[in-house]
């Protein structure tokens, strides 16, 4: 922590030791072992088909605060199911590929995905505080493709050149896994680009590690010259608790608009009750639903898939039950499409 008043006796020549922020420490303390996770939940003997092979391909990672929101002793807990590496992931399934959303083909430069009109999506980092088993990230070759490489220079140059871009979307991985000064380095460079009108951040961190929403992040958000939209990612009402509520209230205090996107996942949120509760619980925290995604068909995620017919039926029932603004748009991402495609009967 930086002391509020300058300390006169501090010799200037002392090497500067960076102090890890609290959220970074909590990040490092995440659970990374399936057996430890099961033990924490009293599920050692529950007969869950955990897979070391799946964990070797995409390691288990889940912050302890998120584990605390899982139900003790419930092998079907909807939060546990999102993170536990299972045998089912290793069964090859036709139609499930490595680059299901065509990001490989749409890449315009170093970490910049220019797929949709007016919007440039930056792959800012490959890191996430949590590893979601259904995610395309498990196969995406990040190492050489993040926009943060080289002080963001290539990404900023691409955006500056292209006057059609009025919105920059920070994505990843999770952009808020970057330290705040690194984010400021990008937005300082973008602030000089007159055709930019909006900034968007796609992040799961305020939900899975609410401590990330600290004073430095809030100060950065308040300093930005554009309207900011934060698109969160929660799939189940149980992902919200008092700490998450407080983090989202802090975010809203900066003037940011908060939206949520969820993925339809078998065994997690594939019921009208679960989806209605998710929308209502989000609203209670100041978050409006945005998208409900049909699963991207990435290898290892087939056991989460719900048929289009079932997805459409759920969505119809949800619309019949909830206020219009609590009903997310049901979409599928299709490689080469000019936007997210609404699911059609
Ligand atoms: C989803 C997505 C966007 C944003 O689309 P919206 O419909 O505006 O939310 C932009 N670029 C890429 C590559 C995307 O996948
Ligand atoms: S990118 Fe999002 S969905 Fe994928 S692992 Fe990271 S937090 Fe989870």
């Amino acid at each position: 922590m930086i002391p509020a008043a300058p300390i006169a006796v501090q010799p200037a020549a002392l090497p500067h030791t960076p102090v890890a922020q609290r959220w970074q420490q909590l990040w490092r303390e995440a659970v990374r072992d399936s057996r430890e996770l099961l033990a924490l939940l009293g599920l050692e003997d529950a007969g869950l088909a955990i897979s070391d092979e799946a964990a070797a391909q995409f390691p288990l990672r889940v912050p302890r605060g998120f584990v605390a929101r899982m139900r003790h002793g419930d092998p079907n807990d909807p939060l546990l199911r999102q993170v536990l590496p299972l045998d089912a992931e290793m069964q090859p399934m036709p139609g499930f590929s490595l680059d299901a959303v065509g990001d490989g083909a749409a890449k315009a430069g170093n970490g910049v995905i220019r797929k949709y009109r007016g919007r440039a999506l930056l792959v800012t980092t490959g890191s996430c505080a949590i590893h979601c088993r259904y995610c395309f990230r498990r196969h995406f070759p990040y190492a050489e493709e993040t926009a943060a490489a080289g002080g963001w220079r290539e990404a900023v140059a691409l955006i500056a050149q292209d006057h059609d871009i009025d919105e920059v979307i920070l994505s990843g991985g999770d952009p808020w896994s970057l330290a705040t000064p690194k984010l400021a380095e990008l937005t300082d460079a973008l602030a000089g680009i007159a055709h930019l009108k909006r900034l968007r951040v796609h992040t799961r961190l305020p939900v899975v590690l609410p401590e990330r929403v600290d004073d430095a992040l809030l100060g950065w958000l308040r300093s930005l010259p554009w309207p900011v939209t934060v698109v969160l990612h929660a799939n189940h009402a149980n992902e919200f608790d008092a700490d998450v509520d407080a983090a989202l209230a802090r975010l809203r205090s900066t003037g940011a608009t908060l939206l949520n996107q969820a993925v339809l996942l078998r065994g997690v949120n594939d019921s009208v009750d679960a989806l209605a509760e998710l929308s209502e619980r989000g609203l209670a925290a100041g978050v409006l639903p945005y998208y409900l995604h049909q699963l991207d068909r990435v290898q290892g995620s087939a056991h989460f898939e719900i048929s289009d017919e079932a997805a459409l039926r759920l969505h119809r029932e949800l619309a019949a039950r909830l206020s219009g603004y609590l009903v997310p748009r049901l979409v599928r991402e299709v490689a080469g499409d000019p936007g997210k495609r609404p699911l059609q009967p």
Side-chain angles (χ1 to χ4, degrees):
M1 290 293 117
I2 299 157
I7 301 167
V9 293
Q10 193 85 11
L14 256 186
H16 176 67
T17 338
V19 179
Q21 305 296 307
R22 177 165 158 70
W23 70 268
Q24 290 169 318
Q25 182 167 348
L26 291 168
W27 177 298
R28 278 196 296 272
E29 290 167 2
V31 176
R32 278 182 271 178
D33 179 80
S34 299
R35 286 165 191 85
E36 182 190 356
L37 178 58
L38 295 182
L40 285 168
L41 297 168
L43 290 171
E44 305 95 317
D45 305 317
L48 281 160
I50 56 172
S51 166
D52 293 330
E53 213 185 330
Q57 184 186 86
F58 186 48
L60 167 79
R61 168 175 276 282
V62 54
R64 286 174 197 271
F66 195 82
V67 175
R69 294 172 233 159
M70 297 175 183
R71 287 187 293 250
H72 194 88
D74 182 357
N76 299 315
D77 179 83
L79 278 53
L80 173 64
R81 194 168 159 80
Q82 294 180 53
V83 300
L84 190 66
L86 294 177
D87 275 343
E89 295 174 30
M90 302 314 295
Q91 284 152 26
M93 198 62 77
F96 285 73
S97 69
L98 295 179
D99 182 15
V101 294
D103 280 347
K107 194 167 70 77
N110 210 352
V112 181
I113 301 176
R114 193 72 178 80
K115 205 154 96 175
Y116 298 159
R117 241 211 125 233
R119 287 149 287 177
L121 183 144
L122 302 194
V123 178
T124 56
T125 168
S127 292
C128 291
I130 190 168
H131 287 176
C132 313
R133 306 313 300 176
Y134 52 84
C135 182
F136 67 93
R137 248 206 86 210
R138 57 188 300 149
H139 307 294
F140 203 78
Y142 277 104
E144 66 282 18
E145 300 192 39
T146 78
W152 306 98
R153 226 163 302 128
E154 215 177 312
V156 171
L158 268 162
I159 294 164
Q161 274 163 25
D162 188 341
H163 289 249
D164 284 344
I165 298 172
D166 58 12
E167 177 170 2
V168 167
I169 303 172
L170 308 187
S171 185
D174 197 312
W176 281 354
S177 57
L178 295 174
T180 306
K182 189 75 190 164
L183 298 166
E185 189 181 293
L186 170 66
T187 49
D188 287 352
L190 293 178
I193 302 176
H195 53 264
L196 282 190
K197 302 282 184 266
R198 290 177 290 283
L199 184 78
R200 200 194 311 181
V201 183
H202 284 185
T203 176
R204 191 148 159 66
L205 263 162
V207 172
V208 300
L209 190 67
E211 294 82 358
R212 176 63 186 98
V213 185
D214 61 6
D215 289 344
L217 189 77
L218 297 170
W220 171 71
L221 281 168
R222 289 201 176 93
S223 76
L224 299 175
W226 318 279
V228 177
T229 302
V230 179
V231 182
L232 302 160
H233 176 182
N235 299 311
H236 195 279
N238 292 2
E239 292 175 44
F240 294 83
D241 69 0
D243 291 339
V244 174
D245 287 343
L248 300 182
R250 293 197 295 277
L251 280 180
R252 277 186 294 134
S253 77
T254 70
T257 299
L258 305 188
L259 304 174
N260 185 58
Q261 52 182 340
V263 182
L264 252 183
L265 298 167
R266 175 179 300 282
V268 172
N269 58 14
D270 57 332
S271 72
V272 192
D273 285 343
L275 293 171
E277 276 170 37
L278 174 61
S279 279
E280 287 171 353
R281 185 62 184 84
L283 184 74
V287 185
L288 283 175
Y290 181 38
Y291 281 139
L292 180 61
H293 293 268
Q294 259 298 47
L295 189 80
D296 295 329
R297 304 189 91 196
V298 296
Q299 261 179 41
S301 68
H303 59 296
F304 284 117
E305 193 175 50
I306 293 161
S307 72
D308 283 359
E309 296 69 43
L312 283 160
R313 181 169 37 73
L314 280 171
H315 192 248
R316 265 196 314 274
E317 290 173 22
L318 195 64
R321 186 189 294 196
L322 295 179
S323 300
Y325 62 87
L326 290 180
V327 183
R329 272 163 263 184
L330 178 62
V331 293
R332 173 191 296 292
E333 208 171 326
V334 180
D337 261 26
K340 308 268 186 266
R341 186 186 292 187
L343 217 63
Q344 306 283 0

mmCIF file with all atom_site columns, all heavy atoms in Angstrom, residues 58 128 130-132 134-135 137 172-174 204 233, ligand 2:
data_model
loop_
_atom_site.group_PDB
_atom_site.id
_atom_site.type_symbol
_atom_site.label_atom_id
_atom_site.label_alt_id
_atom_site.label_comp_id
_atom_site.label_asym_id
_atom_site.label_entity_id
_atom_site.label_seq_id
_atom_site.pdbx_PDB_ins_code
_atom_site.Cartn_x
_atom_site.Cartn_y
_atom_site.Cartn_z
_atom_site.occupancy
_atom_site.B_iso_or_equiv
_atom_site.pdbx_formal_charge
_atom_site.auth_seq_id
_atom_site.auth_comp_id
_atom_site.auth_asym_id
_atom_site.auth_atom_id
_atom_site.pdbx_PDB_model_num
ATOM   1   N  N   . PHE A 1 58  ? -6.289  -28.128 -20.007 1.00 0.00 ? 58  PHE A N   1
ATOM   2   C  CA  . PHE A 1 58  ? -6.767  -26.802 -19.577 1.00 0.00 ? 58  PHE A CA  1
ATOM   3   C  C   . PHE A 1 58  ? -6.921  -26.905 -18.060 1.00 0.00 ? 58  PHE A C   1
ATOM   4   O  O   . PHE A 1 58  ? -7.874  -27.504 -17.563 1.00 0.00 ? 58  PHE A O   1
ATOM   5   C  CB  . PHE A 1 58  ? -8.096  -26.501 -20.270 1.00 0.00 ? 58  PHE A CB  1
ATOM   6   C  CG  . PHE A 1 58  ? -8.652  -25.116 -20.057 1.00 0.00 ? 58  PHE A CG  1
ATOM   7   C  CD1 . PHE A 1 58  ? -7.857  -23.983 -20.215 1.00 0.00 ? 58  PHE A CD1 1
ATOM   8   C  CD2 . PHE A 1 58  ? -9.991  -24.936 -19.716 1.00 0.00 ? 58  PHE A CD2 1
ATOM   9   C  CE1 . PHE A 1 58  ? -8.388  -22.709 -20.033 1.00 0.00 ? 58  PHE A CE1 1
ATOM   10  C  CE2 . PHE A 1 58  ? -10.531 -23.663 -19.544 1.00 0.00 ? 58  PHE A CE2 1
ATOM   11  C  CZ  . PHE A 1 58  ? -9.723  -22.550 -19.707 1.00 0.00 ? 58  PHE A CZ  1
ATOM   12  N  N   . CYS A 1 128 ? -7.113  -15.674 -17.231 1.00 0.00 ? 128 CYS A N   1
ATOM   13  C  CA  . CYS A 1 128 ? -8.402  -15.564 -16.561 1.00 0.00 ? 128 CYS A CA  1
ATOM   14  C  C   . CYS A 1 128 ? -8.228  -16.035 -15.122 1.00 0.00 ? 128 CYS A C   1
ATOM   15  O  O   . CYS A 1 128 ? -7.433  -16.934 -14.854 1.00 0.00 ? 128 CYS A O   1
ATOM   16  C  CB  . CYS A 1 128 ? -9.449  -16.446 -17.231 1.00 0.00 ? 128 CYS A CB  1
ATOM   17  S  SG  . CYS A 1 128 ? -9.915  -15.885 -18.866 1.00 0.00 ? 128 CYS A SG  1
ATOM   18  N  N   . ILE A 1 130 ? -10.525 -17.544 -13.513 1.00 0.00 ? 130 ILE A N   1
ATOM   19  C  CA  . ILE A 1 130 ? -11.257 -18.800 -13.422 1.00 0.00 ? 130 ILE A CA  1
ATOM   20  C  C   . ILE A 1 130 ? -11.133 -19.481 -14.780 1.00 0.00 ? 130 ILE A C   1
ATOM   21  O  O   . ILE A 1 130 ? -11.012 -18.804 -15.803 1.00 0.00 ? 130 ILE A O   1
ATOM   22  C  CB  . ILE A 1 130 ? -12.744 -18.516 -13.069 1.00 0.00 ? 130 ILE A CB  1
ATOM   23  C  CG1 . ILE A 1 130 ? -13.500 -19.799 -12.721 1.00 0.00 ? 130 ILE A CG1 1
ATOM   24  C  CG2 . ILE A 1 130 ? -13.460 -17.781 -14.207 1.00 0.00 ? 130 ILE A CG2 1
ATOM   25  C  CD1 . ILE A 1 130 ? -14.873 -19.515 -12.085 1.00 0.00 ? 130 ILE A CD1 1
ATOM   26  N  N   . HIS A 1 131 ? -11.122 -20.783 -14.782 1.00 0.00 ? 131 HIS A N   1
ATOM   27  C  CA  . HIS A 1 131 ? -11.115 -21.503 -16.054 1.00 0.00 ? 131 HIS A CA  1
ATOM   28  C  C   . HIS A 1 131 ? -12.456 -22.204 -16.229 1.00 0.00 ? 131 HIS A C   1
ATOM   29  O  O   . HIS A 1 131 ? -12.785 -23.118 -15.470 1.00 0.00 ? 131 HIS A O   1
ATOM   30  C  CB  . HIS A 1 131 ? -9.962  -22.504 -16.100 1.00 0.00 ? 131 HIS A CB  1
ATOM   31  C  CG  . HIS A 1 131 ? -8.616  -21.856 -16.265 1.00 0.00 ? 131 HIS A CG  1
ATOM   32  N  ND1 . HIS A 1 131 ? -7.442  -22.556 -16.258 1.00 0.00 ? 131 HIS A ND1 1
ATOM   33  C  CD2 . HIS A 1 131 ? -8.273  -20.552 -16.453 1.00 0.00 ? 131 HIS A CD2 1
ATOM   34  C  CE1 . HIS A 1 131 ? -6.419  -21.709 -16.431 1.00 0.00 ? 131 HIS A CE1 1
ATOM   35  N  NE2 . HIS A 1 131 ? -6.903  -20.488 -16.547 1.00 0.00 ? 131 HIS A NE2 1
ATOM   36  N  N   . CYS A 1 132 ? -13.205 -21.744 -17.226 1.00 0.00 ? 132 CYS A N   1
ATOM   37  C  CA  . CYS A 1 132 ? -14.541 -22.275 -17.479 1.00 0.00 ? 132 CYS A CA  1
ATOM   38  C  C   . CYS A 1 132 ? -14.410 -23.389 -18.516 1.00 0.00 ? 132 CYS A C   1
ATOM   39  O  O   . CYS A 1 132 ? -13.856 -23.160 -19.594 1.00 0.00 ? 132 CYS A O   1
ATOM   40  C  CB  . CYS A 1 132 ? -15.453 -21.172 -17.995 1.00 0.00 ? 132 CYS A CB  1
ATOM   41  S  SG  . CYS A 1 132 ? -15.323 -19.654 -16.999 1.00 0.00 ? 132 CYS A SG  1
ATOM   42  N  N   . TYR A 1 134 ? -16.269 -24.814 -20.601 1.00 0.00 ? 134 TYR A N   1
ATOM   43  C  CA  . TYR A 1 134 ? -16.942 -24.723 -21.903 1.00 0.00 ? 134 TYR A CA  1
ATOM   44  C  C   . TYR A 1 134 ? -16.284 -23.711 -22.824 1.00 0.00 ? 134 TYR A C   1
ATOM   45  O  O   . TYR A 1 134 ? -16.735 -23.490 -23.944 1.00 0.00 ? 134 TYR A O   1
ATOM   46  C  CB  . TYR A 1 134 ? -18.416 -24.322 -21.690 1.00 0.00 ? 134 TYR A CB  1
ATOM   47  C  CG  . TYR A 1 134 ? -18.549 -23.086 -20.820 1.00 0.00 ? 134 TYR A CG  1
ATOM   48  C  CD1 . TYR A 1 134 ? -18.440 -21.816 -21.363 1.00 0.00 ? 134 TYR A CD1 1
ATOM   49  C  CD2 . TYR A 1 134 ? -18.714 -23.216 -19.442 1.00 0.00 ? 134 TYR A CD2 1
ATOM   50  C  CE1 . TYR A 1 134 ? -18.510 -20.699 -20.552 1.00 0.00 ? 134 TYR A CE1 1
ATOM   51  C  CE2 . TYR A 1 134 ? -18.785 -22.091 -18.624 1.00 0.00 ? 134 TYR A CE2 1
ATOM   52  C  CZ  . TYR A 1 134 ? -18.683 -20.844 -19.188 1.00 0.00 ? 134 TYR A CZ  1
ATOM   53  O  OH  . TYR A 1 134 ? -18.729 -19.722 -18.386 1.00 0.00 ? 134 TYR A OH  1
ATOM   54  N  N   . CYS A 1 135 ? -15.201 -23.068 -22.362 1.00 0.00 ? 135 CYS A N   1
ATOM   55  C  CA  . CYS A 1 135 ? -14.689 -21.893 -23.069 1.00 0.00 ? 135 CYS A CA  1
ATOM   56  C  C   . CYS A 1 135 ? -13.801 -22.251 -24.257 1.00 0.00 ? 135 CYS A C   1
ATOM   57  O  O   . CYS A 1 135 ? -12.997 -23.183 -24.187 1.00 0.00 ? 135 CYS A O   1
ATOM   58  C  CB  . CYS A 1 135 ? -13.900 -21.042 -22.090 1.00 0.00 ? 135 CYS A CB  1
ATOM   59  S  SG  . CYS A 1 135 ? -13.275 -19.532 -22.844 1.00 0.00 ? 135 CYS A SG  1
ATOM   60  N  N   . ARG A 1 137 ? -11.364 -20.675 -25.077 1.00 0.00 ? 137 ARG A N   1
ATOM   61  C  CA  . ARG A 1 137 ? -10.006 -20.347 -24.639 1.00 0.00 ? 137 ARG A CA  1
ATOM   62  C  C   . ARG A 1 137 ? -9.119  -21.566 -24.468 1.00 0.00 ? 137 ARG A C   1
ATOM   63  O  O   . ARG A 1 137 ? -7.908  -21.473 -24.521 1.00 0.00 ? 137 ARG A O   1
ATOM   64  C  CB  . ARG A 1 137 ? -10.125 -19.702 -23.250 1.00 0.00 ? 137 ARG A CB  1
ATOM   65  C  CG  . ARG A 1 137 ? -9.775  -18.302 -23.198 1.00 0.00 ? 137 ARG A CG  1
ATOM   66  C  CD  . ARG A 1 137 ? -9.324  -17.998 -21.799 1.00 0.00 ? 137 ARG A CD  1
ATOM   67  N  NE  . ARG A 1 137 ? -7.926  -18.307 -21.682 1.00 0.00 ? 137 ARG A NE  1
ATOM   68  C  CZ  . ARG A 1 137 ? -7.339  -18.694 -20.573 1.00 0.00 ? 137 ARG A CZ  1
ATOM   69  N  NH1 . ARG A 1 137 ? -8.021  -18.844 -19.489 1.00 0.00 ? 137 ARG A NH1 1
ATOM   70  N  NH2 . ARG A 1 137 ? -6.065  -18.931 -20.560 1.00 0.00 ? 137 ARG A NH2 1
ATOM   71  N  N   . GLY A 1 172 ? -10.570 -11.101 -24.101 1.00 0.00 ? 172 GLY A N   1
ATOM   72  C  CA  . GLY A 1 172 ? -9.395  -11.917 -23.765 1.00 0.00 ? 172 GLY A CA  1
ATOM   73  C  C   . GLY A 1 172 ? -9.665  -13.364 -24.062 1.00 0.00 ? 172 GLY A C   1
ATOM   74  O  O   . GLY A 1 172 ? -10.299 -13.667 -25.073 1.00 0.00 ? 172 GLY A O   1
ATOM   75  N  N   . GLY A 1 173 ? -9.339  -14.143 -23.105 1.00 0.00 ? 173 GLY A N   1
ATOM   76  C  CA  . GLY A 1 173 ? -8.977  -13.953 -21.704 1.00 0.00 ? 173 GLY A CA  1
ATOM   77  C  C   . GLY A 1 173 ? -9.836  -12.914 -20.987 1.00 0.00 ? 173 GLY A C   1
ATOM   78  O  O   . GLY A 1 173 ? -10.921 -12.593 -21.412 1.00 0.00 ? 173 GLY A O   1
ATOM   79  N  N   . ASP A 1 174 ? -9.330  -12.467 -19.884 1.00 0.00 ? 174 ASP A N   1
ATOM   80  C  CA  . ASP A 1 174 ? -10.058 -11.452 -19.131 1.00 0.00 ? 174 ASP A CA  1
ATOM   81  C  C   . ASP A 1 174 ? -9.215  -10.188 -19.036 1.00 0.00 ? 174 ASP A C   1
ATOM   82  O  O   . ASP A 1 174 ? -8.157  -10.188 -18.408 1.00 0.00 ? 174 ASP A O   1
ATOM   83  C  CB  . ASP A 1 174 ? -10.399 -11.966 -17.732 1.00 0.00 ? 174 ASP A CB  1
ATOM   84  C  CG  . ASP A 1 174 ? -11.485 -11.135 -17.082 1.00 0.00 ? 174 ASP A CG  1
ATOM   85  O  OD1 . ASP A 1 174 ? -11.369 -9.881  -17.115 1.00 0.00 ? 174 ASP A OD1 1
ATOM   86  O  OD2 . ASP A 1 174 ? -12.465 -11.701 -16.552 1.00 0.00 ? 174 ASP A OD2 1
ATOM   87  N  N   . ARG A 1 204 ? -15.196 -11.315 -16.619 1.00 0.00 ? 204 ARG A N   1
ATOM   88  C  CA  . ARG A 1 204 ? -15.862 -12.153 -15.624 1.00 0.00 ? 204 ARG A CA  1
ATOM   89  C  C   . ARG A 1 204 ? -15.304 -11.847 -14.228 1.00 0.00 ? 204 ARG A C   1
ATOM   90  O  O   . ARG A 1 204 ? -15.810 -12.351 -13.229 1.00 0.00 ? 204 ARG A O   1
ATOM   91  C  CB  . ARG A 1 204 ? -15.614 -13.630 -16.014 1.00 0.00 ? 204 ARG A CB  1
ATOM   92  C  CG  . ARG A 1 204 ? -16.427 -14.684 -15.271 1.00 0.00 ? 204 ARG A CG  1
ATOM   93  C  CD  . ARG A 1 204 ? -16.702 -15.839 -16.173 1.00 0.00 ? 204 ARG A CD  1
ATOM   94  N  NE  . ARG A 1 204 ? -17.045 -17.119 -15.623 1.00 0.00 ? 204 ARG A NE  1
ATOM   95  C  CZ  . ARG A 1 204 ? -18.156 -17.423 -14.932 1.00 0.00 ? 204 ARG A CZ  1
ATOM   96  N  NH1 . ARG A 1 204 ? -19.007 -16.477 -14.615 1.00 0.00 ? 204 ARG A NH1 1
ATOM   97  N  NH2 . ARG A 1 204 ? -18.394 -18.656 -14.554 1.00 0.00 ? 204 ARG A NH2 1
ATOM   98  N  N   . HIS A 1 233 ? -20.070 -11.639 -17.034 1.00 0.00 ? 233 HIS A N   1
ATOM   99  C  CA  . HIS A 1 233 ? -20.395 -12.998 -17.451 1.00 0.00 ? 233 HIS A CA  1
ATOM   100 C  C   . HIS A 1 233 ? -20.710 -13.812 -16.200 1.00 0.00 ? 233 HIS A C   1
ATOM   101 O  O   . HIS A 1 233 ? -19.811 -14.199 -15.457 1.00 0.00 ? 233 HIS A O   1
ATOM   102 C  CB  . HIS A 1 233 ? -19.206 -13.571 -18.236 1.00 0.00 ? 233 HIS A CB  1
ATOM   103 C  CG  . HIS A 1 233 ? -19.361 -15.002 -18.639 1.00 0.00 ? 233 HIS A CG  1
ATOM   104 N  ND1 . HIS A 1 233 ? -18.394 -15.702 -19.302 1.00 0.00 ? 233 HIS A ND1 1
ATOM   105 C  CD2 . HIS A 1 233 ? -20.372 -15.872 -18.482 1.00 0.00 ? 233 HIS A CD2 1
ATOM   106 C  CE1 . HIS A 1 233 ? -18.796 -16.936 -19.511 1.00 0.00 ? 233 HIS A CE1 1
ATOM   107 N  NE2 . HIS A 1 233 ? -20.002 -17.063 -19.026 1.00 0.00 ? 233 HIS A NE2 1
HETATM 108 S  S1  . LIG B 2 .   ? -12.597 -16.163 -21.243 1.00 0.00 ? 2   LIG B S1  1
HETATM 109 FE FE1 . LIG B 2 .   ? -14.382 -16.006 -19.883 1.00 0.00 ? 2   LIG B FE1 1
HETATM 110 S  S2  . LIG B 2 .   ? -15.474 -17.957 -20.193 1.00 0.00 ? 2   LIG B S2  1
HETATM 111 FE FE2 . LIG B 2 .   ? -13.381 -18.247 -20.951 1.00 0.00 ? 2   LIG B FE2 1
HETATM 112 S  S3  . LIG B 2 .   ? -12.223 -19.110 -19.249 1.00 0.00 ? 2   LIG B S3  1
HETATM 113 FE FE3 . LIG B 2 .   ? -11.958 -16.882 -19.202 1.00 0.00 ? 2   LIG B FE3 1
HETATM 114 S  S4  . LIG B 2 .   ? -13.562 -16.156 -17.815 1.00 0.00 ? 2   LIG B S4  1
HETATM 115 FE FE4 . LIG B 2 .   ? -14.127 -18.224 -18.420 1.00 0.00 ? 2   LIG B FE4 1
#
